[in-house]
């Protein structure tokens, strides 16, 4: 038996025109590799798309690749992730599943307020697969708390559990801020736990459970992830052997700059010196600056010239992170969050409790704010008229706020 | 109902004659009314009174015992009686209470206390229920609350002999603090009794999402397996936990300085320091052996294996996760029943250091006011706060005891031997909940360090029955006698009207 385990494809994640197709390219490359490897089936542990209604061009590529897999009789089993659902619970995944392109294994029934999951059988290999979706703010935790375990733990045969959640005990140091749940919520006795959501590459054998695996994203999803992971990838599991297959779309070059006791001019020279002898073809260049400037402000660093010189060396894309650079006058940083989601989460939490409404608990308020933000950041879809878009946005907001707008 | 009449005494020792047919108990609360106020009195001693001389009393008794003579006293209720010795607790005027500075009038009547006399006992902003007011052995329908936000950072001492109800009291305190938001409580639980793995406990609370439980073995569903990464341990975490010699301490510090997070691994793997060989082989060998034993590590074939709580590849965020939960006003129960005392204290030291340092930095940033207070519940407190332990140097718990209140971090120290704790630390514990204590030196240690004058209460403390307690606190108006309710009853009362929410799994296929 041979299968592939992907997660966090986040198709459509990068907004910059130069990177916006990268996740789609990474997905296509991963599928091609799976076909070449002749896997029996493929698992996707959530967050196939970055939004519940992805752009049509991305969708078209993804559908084409799924069709290819279907034609080659390579079934795909998925659970939706926290990015796959709209606040109203809608997802394009439903449409794709209806079209027979993959199977969502979050199947079962509600029994007296408890969740009873059913297994999906992979006919070719006899593997039994089930799993639980991921929701925004780790709200899937309630599902685990209500999960009936007997049928899952007593089932015989090779079993796979797909999940899209962080695990407290396994979280790496730099991800302490992500919401996660205890290991004890997972049903015991599965042969393979196919994880997603946490963008780390990890394969651990855990006593009483089994192999718990996170393949990481197919392509890093942010500046910090590009720095840490450099590239994405997925796992191929063949019998008891497991290997991580990297997906190389671009090379990466990291330029860390310690700004302490340096002038903006010196920093520029230092960066240019670091790229002097480098080949930058097809390379994403990441410049991270931190420290306290000897004089001047971060905006005094001549990034225009730095970027021009890097692009002259045929770099594909240049990014900089200078939020950790301080001037001597202003040394205070209000948040150490590293990405947009962290900052959003920080700000929401900071302002919770200011709306005083009956029955509005802090948890409900946070969920409401997140849902509203998500709805209001929805983009107009291709072919959608402005009035239709406005109507859709109003309806979504109306439903979330439980008001007639 | 009149129970007696004030007849003599002095301030702090008011003597009243008990009315015939009435009974007065030690610890009983009584009221003496005057025109515009009333004085709340408490009985702390009882003696016999008689109009007949001692010699005649002895003679009367002899006639009965030796000669079986039937003897009837003329006006017996007038001649023989009880005298109650009382102290005034507070003077009550309208709904306010003040420290008493006068005595009840001569021959003023004393009566039984009524609930309405205690209307000055209002519910504080952050109520922490401790028990019901008790008058002697009688229970009053008056619930006693302390202001949790004030008492936790000013430290609580819970003292009492085994079996007098310390665990029940702590269970009640924790149960009532769940989900209040104003406090986070860290419980180092060496008997694994508070979460209620196999009995009623915090797991049954309707707001159980505000309780986190870490255990090293067979974590119940929804709870965490305690794993702590070796990288988070620093040499100072061992202070007050393991008695390293000066040379050994130096070696720990030098390895940390050179190898950072990986200093423990480096000692075990015997990596060389850049500075060269600075210690005797024996010193490093002893340090290595002690670390291996303490952290439950195994070193074989030049490889390090983790057998217990301390891990190489997991548990990176455990300590920070626990702190974050405490900062969110949750209760974190750490089951330490499988560990030796030193390991338990090391884990406590790791968390307490993290919490204390974080709160110190919040104070510097000016954001401390918006944070909940944090209390660290320590069983058998003299293990870390004992005189002998502290002679070897301070540890994080003694630092919290001395400085914690400035940073909203306090201790809830539980002990049956308060005399082992240095007096200045005992005096810093501004709330003491005293249960029955038989041993005189232990009572004395409490009496000498109490927030209110307990010099006359030695007998009262000795006579406290199971579930009875006295509260002395900077935040209580008077030494308050309470009765601690059974934990099971508290649980039943809370959950009787709660209906379980039924979930719909809308995304289910």
């Amino acid at each position: 038996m041979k299968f592939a385990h992907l997660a966090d494809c986040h198709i459509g994640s990068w907004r910059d025109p130069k990177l916006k197709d990268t996740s789609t390219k990474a997905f296509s490359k991963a599928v091609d590799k799976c076909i070449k490897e002749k896997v029996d089936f493929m698992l996707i542990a959530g967050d196939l798309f970055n939004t519940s209604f992805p752009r049509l061009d991305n969708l078209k590529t993804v559908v084409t690749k799924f069709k290819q897999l279907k034609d080659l009789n390579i079934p795909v089993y998925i659970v939706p992730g926290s990015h796959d659902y709209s606040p109203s619970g809608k997802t394009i995944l439903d449409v794709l599943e209806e079209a027979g392109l993959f199977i969502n294994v979050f199947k079962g029934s509600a029994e007296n307020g408890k969740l009873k999951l059913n297994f999906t059988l992979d006919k070719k290999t006899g593997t039994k697969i089930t799993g639980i979706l991921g929701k925004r703010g780790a709200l899937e935790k309630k599902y685990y708390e209500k999960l009936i375990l007997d049928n899952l733990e007593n089932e015989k045969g090779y079993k796979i559990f797909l999940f899209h959640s962080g695990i407290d005990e396994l979280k790496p140091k730099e991800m302490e801020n992500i919401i996660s749940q205890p290991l004890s919520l997972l049903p015991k006795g599965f042969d393979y736990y196919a994880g997603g959501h946490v963008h780390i590459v990890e394969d651990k054998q855990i006593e009483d459970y089994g192999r718990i695996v996170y393949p990481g994203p197919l392509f890093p999803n942010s500046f910090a992830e590009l720095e840490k992971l450099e590239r994405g990838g997925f796992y191929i599991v063949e019998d008891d052997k497991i290997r991580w297959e990297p997906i190389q779309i671009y090379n990466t070059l990291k330029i860390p700059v310690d700004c302490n006791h340096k002038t903006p001019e010196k920093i520029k020279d230092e960066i240019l010196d670091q790229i002097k002898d480098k080949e930058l073809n097809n390379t994403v260049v990441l410049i991270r600056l931190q420290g306290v400037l000897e004089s001047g402000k971060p905006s005094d660093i001549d990034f225009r010239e730095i970027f021009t010189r890097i692009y002259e060396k045929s770099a594909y894309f240049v990014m900089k992170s200078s939020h950790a650079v301080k001037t001597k006058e202003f040394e205070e940083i209000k948040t150490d969050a590293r990405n947009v989601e962290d900052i959003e989460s920080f700000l929401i939490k900071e302002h919770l409790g200011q709306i005083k409404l009956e029955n509005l608990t802090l948890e409900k308020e946070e969920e409401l704010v997140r849902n509203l933000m998500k709805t209001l950041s929805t983009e107009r879809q291709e072919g959608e008229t402005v009035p239709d878009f406005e109507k859709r946005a109003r309806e979504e907001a109306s439903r979330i706020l439980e008001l007639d707008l | 109902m009149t129970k007696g009449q004030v007849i003599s005494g002095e301030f702090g020792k008011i003597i009243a004659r008990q009315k015939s047919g009435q009974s007065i108990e030690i610890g009983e609360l009584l009221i003496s009314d005057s025109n515009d106020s009333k004085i709340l009195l408490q009985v702390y001693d009882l003696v016999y009174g008689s109009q007949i001389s001692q010699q005649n009393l002895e003679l009367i008794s002899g006639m009965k015992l030796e000669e079986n003579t039937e003897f009837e006293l003329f006006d017996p209720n007038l001649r023989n009686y009880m005298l109650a010795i009382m102290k005034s607790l507070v003077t009550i005027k309208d709904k306010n209470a003040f420290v008493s500075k006068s005595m009840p009038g001569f021959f003023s009547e004393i009566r039984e206390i009524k609930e309405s006399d205690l209307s000055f006992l209002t519910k504080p902003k952050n109520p922490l229920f401790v028990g019901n007011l008790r008058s002697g052995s009688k229970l009053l329908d008056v619930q006693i609350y302390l202001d949790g936000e004030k008492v936790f950072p000013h430290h609580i001492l819970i003292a009492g002999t085994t079996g007098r109800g310390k665990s029940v009291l702590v269970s009640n305190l924790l149960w009532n603090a769940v989900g209040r938001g104003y406090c986070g409580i860290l419980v180092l639980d060496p008997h694994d009794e508070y979460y209620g793995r196999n009995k009623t406990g915090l797991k049954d609370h309707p707001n159980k999402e505000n309780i986190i439980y870490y255990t090293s073995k067979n974590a119940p569903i929804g709870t965490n397996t305690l794993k702590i990464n070796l990288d988070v341990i620093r040499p100072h975490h061992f202070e007050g936990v393991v008695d390293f010699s000066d040379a050994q301490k130096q070696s720990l510090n030098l390895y940390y300085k050179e190898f950072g997070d990986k200093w423990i691994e480096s000692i075990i793997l015997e990596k060389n320091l850049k500075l060269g060989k600075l210690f005797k082989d024996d010193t490093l060998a002893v340090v290595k052996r002690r670390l291996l034993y303490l952290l439950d590590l195994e070193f074989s074939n030049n490889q390090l294996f983790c057998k217990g709580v301390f891990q190489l590849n997991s548990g990176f965020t455990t300590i920070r996760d626990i702190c974050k939960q405490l900062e969110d006003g949750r209760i974190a129960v750490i089951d330490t029943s499988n560990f030796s005392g030193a390991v338990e204290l090391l884990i406590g030291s790791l968390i307490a250091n993290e919490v204390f340092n974080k709160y110190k930095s919040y104070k510097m940033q000016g954001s401390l006011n918006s944070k909940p207070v944090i209390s660290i519940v320590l069983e058998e407190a003299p293990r870390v706060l004992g005189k002998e332990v502290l002679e070897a140097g301070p540890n994080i718990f003694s630092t919290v005891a001395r400085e914690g209140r400035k940073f909203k971090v306090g201790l809830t120290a539980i002990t049956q031997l308060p005399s082992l704790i240095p007096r200045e630390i005992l005096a810093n514990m501004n709330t003491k909940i005293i249960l029955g204590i038989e041993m005189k030196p232990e009572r004395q240690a409490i009496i000498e360090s109490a927030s209110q004058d307990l010099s006359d209460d030695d007998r009262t403390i000795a006579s406290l029955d199971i579930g009875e307690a006295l509260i002395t606190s900077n935040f209580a108006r008077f030494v308050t006698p309470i009765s601690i309710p059974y934990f099971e009853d508290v649980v039943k009362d809370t959950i009787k009207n709660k209906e379980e929410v039924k979930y719909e799994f809308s995304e289910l296929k």
Side-chain angles (χ1 to χ4, degrees):
Chain A
M1 180 178 59
K2 192 175 188 179
F3 66 87
H5 168 198
L6 291 72
D8 300 290
C9 308
H10 287 283
I11 287 165
S13 58
W14 288 91
R15 287 192 183 174
D16 189 278
K18 290 197 92 172
L19 291 179
K20 73 178 170 61
D21 294 328
T22 315
S23 45
T24 323
K25 278 184 200 165
F27 181 72
S28 298
K29 237 178 161 172
V31 171
D32 291 344
K33 213 162 220 176
C34 290
I35 291 169
K36 200 174 158 200
E37 287 278 346
K38 295 188 174 136
V39 299
D40 292 312
F41 59 86
M42 194 168 160
L43 307 171
I44 303 178
D47 285 355
L48 173 61
F49 294 108
N50 200 50
T51 64
S52 50
F53 294 101
R55 290 160 53 92
L56 280 183
D57 50 349
N58 287 335
L59 193 58
K60 187 181 168 193
T61 311
V62 171
V63 167
T64 307
K65 297 314 283 183
F66 276 131
K67 176 77 172 41
Q68 218 177 329
L69 289 166
K70 185 178 163 68
D71 292 344
L72 290 165
N73 194 24
I74 300 174
V76 180
Y77 303 102
I78 70 146
V79 286
S82 44
H83 280 251
D84 288 319
Y85 276 100
S86 74
S88 59
K90 290 174 187 161
T91 171
I92 193 73
L93 298 183
D94 287 345
V95 179
L96 302 186
E97 190 184 17
E98 279 298 312
L101 296 177
F102 53 68
I103 296 166
N104 178 353
V105 297
F106 181 50
K107 285 185 169 38
S109 53
E111 287 188 3
N112 298 322
K114 297 266 183 188
L115 171 61
K116 184 171 185 188
L117 288 178
N118 296 335
F119 281 100
T120 298
L121 180 71
D122 178 68
K123 286 180 188 149
K124 216 191 303 177
T125 62
T127 304
K128 293 158 184 176
I129 307 165
T130 187
I132 292 183
L133 80 173
K135 297 180 85 174
R136 288 228 170 217
L139 293 175
E140 74 276 8
K141 190 176 174 190
K142 284 278 173 224
Y143 291 16
Y144 283 93
E145 285 169 353
K146 302 287 172 189
L147 186 60
I148 297 172
L149 296 171
D150 292 354
N151 62 320
L152 299 179
E153 294 182 348
N154 295 335
E155 183 75 29
K156 304 279 182 233
Y158 191 88
K159 297 182 288 182
I160 295 176
F161 189 83
L162 262 82
F163 67 103
H164 187 82
S165 308
I167 301 290
D168 291 343
E169 289 86 343
L170 306 179
K171 250 190 325 184
K173 215 181 298 185
E174 62 277 12
M175 292 193 181
E176 59 174 308
N177 288 329
I178 70 158
I179 309 170
S180 51
Q181 62 185 38
L183 177 67
S184 64
L185 283 178
L186 290 178
K188 289 182 181 171
F190 278 71
D191 298 278
Y192 189 92
Y193 293 82
H197 185 54
V198 185
H199 293 193
I200 50 170
V201 181
E202 194 161 70
D203 164 26
K204 283 202 170 127
Q205 194 71 38
I206 307 286
E207 197 185 338
D208 291 339
Y209 288 86
R211 186 164 227 156
I212 299 184
V213 181
Y214 286 102
L218 267 191
F219 183 76
N221 219 4
S222 65
F223 184 100
E225 278 181 31
L226 265 168
E227 259 187 325
K228 191 180 172 225
L229 302 170
E230 297 185 10
R231 59 193 169 173
F234 67 98
Y235 276 107
I236 289 184
V237 184
E238 188 169 10
D239 301 324
D240 281 342
K241 291 184 198 114
I242 180 165
R243 69 173 196 275
W244 190 70
E245 278 293 332
I247 301 285
Q248 189 82 42
I249 307 290
Y250 306 111
N251 303 318
T252 48
L253 173 69
K254 293 177 271 185
I255 306 181
V257 186
D258 176 3
C259 299
N260 285 315
H261 316 301
K262 290 173 192 161
T263 61
E265 190 61 29
K266 174 125 180 44
I267 290 164
K268 183 186 87 179
D269 292 345
E270 205 172 274
I271 296 171
L272 293 179
D273 196 47
Q274 284 201 51
I275 58 157
K276 199 168 60 186
D277 304 320
K278 297 264 179 5
E279 268 296 325
L280 300 179
N281 266 348
N282 198 38
T283 301
V284 174
V285 179
L286 306 158
I287 308 170
R288 182 180 284 280
L289 302 101
Q290 53 191 6
V292 183
L293 289 173
E294 179 64 38
S295 61
K297 309 185 289 290
S299 57
D300 295 336
I301 304 169
D302 189 355
F303 284 112
R304 184 178 292 197
E305 188 186 340
I306 295 168
F307 276 42
T308 307
R309 297 278 290 278
I310 295 174
Y311 279 122
E312 277 171 7
K313 291 180 84 64
S314 306
Y316 181 75
F317 193 55
V318 192
M319 282 186 270
K320 70 168 167 68
S321 166
S322 56
H323 76 268
V325 185
K326 292 173 265 177
T327 62
K328 282 196 167 168
E329 291 82 17
F330 301 100
E331 288 194 15
E332 186 185 357
I333 315 175
K334 293 220 165 179
T335 165
D336 61 355
R338 288 184 174 201
N339 57 42
V340 177
E341 279 197 352
D342 281 353
I343 294 170
E344 277 178 8
S345 182
F346 176 81
L347 289 173
I348 292 170
K349 286 204 160 69
E350 193 179 64
H351 291 90
L352 281 180
Q354 293 181 17
I355 311 167
K356 301 283 179 217
L357 285 177
E358 208 179 332
N359 298 328
L360 186 68
T361 60
L362 290 184
E363 287 79 17
K364 277 187 189 168
E365 187 184 337
E366 186 175 349
E367 192 185 344
L368 188 139
V369 173
R370 282 184 193 282
N371 286 340
L372 206 53
M373 280 175 63
K374 193 174 175 194
T375 294
L376 297 176
S377 63
T378 311
E379 287 178 22
R380 186 153 66 95
Q381 289 172 22
E382 284 177 15
E384 192 176 32
T385 63
V386 174
D388 283 350
F389 172 54
E390 283 178 359
K391 188 179 168 211
R392 181 162 65 86
R394 204 180 302 117
E395 280 173 1
E396 283 285 323
S398 171
R399 192 194 55 75
I400 292 164
L401 293 167
E402 296 174 12
L403 291 171
D404 285 331
L405 296 174
Chain B
M1 187 194 298
T2 302
K3 295 204 101 177
Q5 198 169 34
V6 174
I7 50 159
S8 66
E10 58 190 77
F11 193 82
K13 190 181 177 185
I14 298 158
I15 301 171
R17 177 181 161 141
Q18 179 185 299
K19 186 177 178 348
S20 65
Q22 296 294 329
S23 86
I24 294 180
E25 294 177 312
I26 281 199
E28 187 162 350
L29 299 173
L30 298 163
I31 293 283
S32 162
D33 293 293
S34 67
N35 288 341
D36 59 347
S37 64
K38 45 195 166 190
I39 296 177
L40 176 61
L41 301 154
Q42 189 178 34
V43 179
Y44 66 84
D45 210 349
L46 293 168
V47 290
Y48 292 106
S50 180
Q51 292 298 307
I52 305 164
S53 70
Q54 184 67 20
Q55 250 184 337
N56 282 331
L57 286 171
E58 288 165 13
L59 178 64
I60 293 165
S61 175
M63 288 166 75
K64 168 75 182 157
L65 290 171
E66 310 304 333
E67 297 177 6
N68 208 17
T69 311
E70 278 307 318
F71 194 88
E72 203 172 317
L73 279 178
F74 185 66
D75 292 335
N77 293 340
L78 278 179
R79 288 168 198 275
N80 291 327
Y81 38 84
M82 290 287 181
L83 294 174
I85 303 174
M86 308 172 293
K87 60 177 176 180
S88 51
L89 298 177
V90 282
T91 300
I92 305 161
K93 199 168 184 182
D94 301 324
K95 285 196 169 182
N96 297 312
F98 316 93
V99 175
S100 284
K101 290 187 175 163
S102 60
M103 297 205 292
F106 210 67
F107 284 136
S108 58
E109 286 190 349
I110 52 168
R111 63 170 171 81
E112 200 168 40
I113 194 165
K114 294 180 287 194
E115 277 82 8
S116 59
D117 295 320
L118 297 159
S119 56
F120 67 91
L121 291 175
T122 49
K123 207 170 177 176
K125 190 177 157 210
N126 295 297
L128 178 68
F129 173 67
V130 279
N132 286 82
L133 188 67
R134 182 173 52 78
S135 175
S137 59
K138 288 188 284 288
L139 205 59
L140 299 174
D141 189 18
V142 177
Q143 297 195 316
I144 297 297
Y145 297 94
L146 293 169
D147 190 329
E149 199 174 17
K150 287 180 182 161
V151 296
F152 278 130
H154 285 77
H155 314 299
I156 300 175
L157 180 82
I158 297 173
T161 311
T162 304
R164 293 302 178 101
K166 293 193 297 290
S167 296
V168 175
L169 172 66
V170 175
S171 296
N172 289 348
L173 290 181
L174 295 174
W175 181 272
N176 286 300
V178 174
R180 303 285 183 188
Y182 67 81
C183 65
I185 303 179
L186 170 69
V187 188
L188 299 171
D189 186 357
H191 309 298
D192 195 17
E193 59 188 326
Y194 297 119
Y195 181 73
R197 186 193 278 256
N198 301 314
K199 57 173 189 169
T200 308
L202 292 173
K203 71 169 191 312
D204 303 300
H205 201 285
N207 298 325
K208 65 178 172 196
E209 65 276 10
N210 289 305
I211 298 152
I212 50 165
Y213 175 65
Y214 281 82
T215 180
S216 59
K217 292 261 188 268
N218 302 324
I221 293 165
T223 66
N224 292 77
T225 306
L226 185 63
K227 291 193 183 298
I228 298 171
N229 199 274
L230 289 176
D231 287 6
V232 304
I233 303 176
R234 301 283 176 266
H236 68 86
H237 290 137
F238 292 106
E239 283 169 12
V241 173
V242 183
D243 190 17
F244 283 118
S245 70
D246 285 348
Q248 290 165 353
K249 277 182 197 164
Q250 278 176 27
S251 69
L252 301 182
N253 286 322
L254 276 171
Y255 266 87
Y256 174 60
K257 201 173 171 193
E258 184 156 332
F259 295 99
D261 290 351
K262 303 292 175 195
W263 69 280
I264 292 179
E265 277 176 75
S266 302
I267 290 177
I268 311 272
L269 299 172
E270 295 177 16
K271 287 189 180 170
N272 292 325
L273 290 166
K274 277 183 203 158
L275 294 168
K277 210 169 176 182
L278 297 171
F279 314 102
K280 288 180 189 168
D281 286 343
D282 287 356
T283 305
L284 214 55
V286 174
V287 168
K288 181 177 163 179
R289 197 178 65 234
R290 293 185 76 178
L291 287 174
L292 284 171
Y293 175 73
L294 181 72
L295 304 173
D296 206 0
L297 307 172
E298 195 178 298
F299 183 59
S300 63
N301 297 328
N302 223 23
Q303 254 196 306
L304 190 58
F305 299 96
C306 301
K307 298 187 292 177
V309 170
F310 297 98
Q311 293 285 316
L312 280 169
N313 299 315
S314 55
F316 288 101
T317 62
T318 306
I319 300 297
R320 290 197 168 193
D321 286 346
I322 293 171
C323 286
K324 205 182 293 169
Q325 301 280 2
L326 295 172
E327 270 185 59
D328 288 342
R330 297 198 168 91
I331 292 178
V333 181
I334 318 290
D335 163 25
T336 57
S337 59
N338 284 318
F339 308 141
S340 68
V343 173
E344 181 201 358
L345 296 176
L346 175 61
I347 293 167
S349 170
L350 284 162
I351 307 169
N353 264 292
E354 179 81 14
V355 168
F356 190 58
N357 291 333
K358 258 191 152 181
Y359 267 51
K360 264 174 128 172
S361 70
Y362 289 144
K363 183 160 189 184
M364 281 175 66
Q365 292 161 15
S367 55
L368 187 63
N369 281 348
S370 60
K371 301 287 173 189
V373 299
I374 288 182
S375 182
I376 301 168
V377 177
L378 275 178
E379 296 265 358
E380 293 158 43
R383 287 183 303 161
V384 281
L385 297 176
K387 287 170 195 162
E388 279 183 23
V389 180
L390 297 179
E391 271 167 17
N395 56 50
I396 181 63
F397 303 105
S398 66
T399 307
V400 170
R402 289 193 170 97
E403 303 174 32
R405 67 173 183 277
K406 288 184 279 183
F407 308 105
K408 294 175 77 170
V409 182
L411 297 177
T412 298
I414 305 163
T415 181
Q416 46 179 326
L417 299 169
S419 67
L420 297 182
I421 299 174
R423 196 171 166 181
E424 74 269 21
I425 289 186
L426 276 183
N428 262 344
M429 306 212 151
N430 287 334
T431 298
K432 294 185 178 68
I433 306 181
I434 309 157
L435 294 99
I437 302 175
E438 282 98 4
M439 288 182 283
K440 177 98 178 165
E442 305 309 325
R443 292 201 299 273
Q444 207 53 38
I446 294 278
I447 288 167
E448 285 170 1
S449 61
S451 304
Q452 279 115 351
D453 180 17
L454 291 182
S455 52
D456 297 319
D457 287 293
D458 189 48
R459 269 183 214 187
T460 314
I461 296 171
S463 67
L464 289 171
D465 205 345
I466 296 170
E468 293 181 349
L470 287 183
I471 299 173
T472 155
S473 171
N474 288 9
F475 309 100
R477 298 289 176 80
F478 57 91
V479 181
T480 317
I482 59 159
S483 173
I484 302 161
Y486 287 114
F487 179 60
E488 278 73 14
D489 293 343
V490 173
V491 173
K492 268 183 215 155
D493 278 355
T494 319
I495 60 178
K496 67 184 170 195
N497 295 322
K498 300 279 176 188
E499 271 183 36
E500 203 178 342
V501 180
K502 283 203 172 171
Y503 277 89
E504 290 172 16
F505 309 100
S506 53
E507 301 90 350
L508 200 60
K509 294 284 163 183

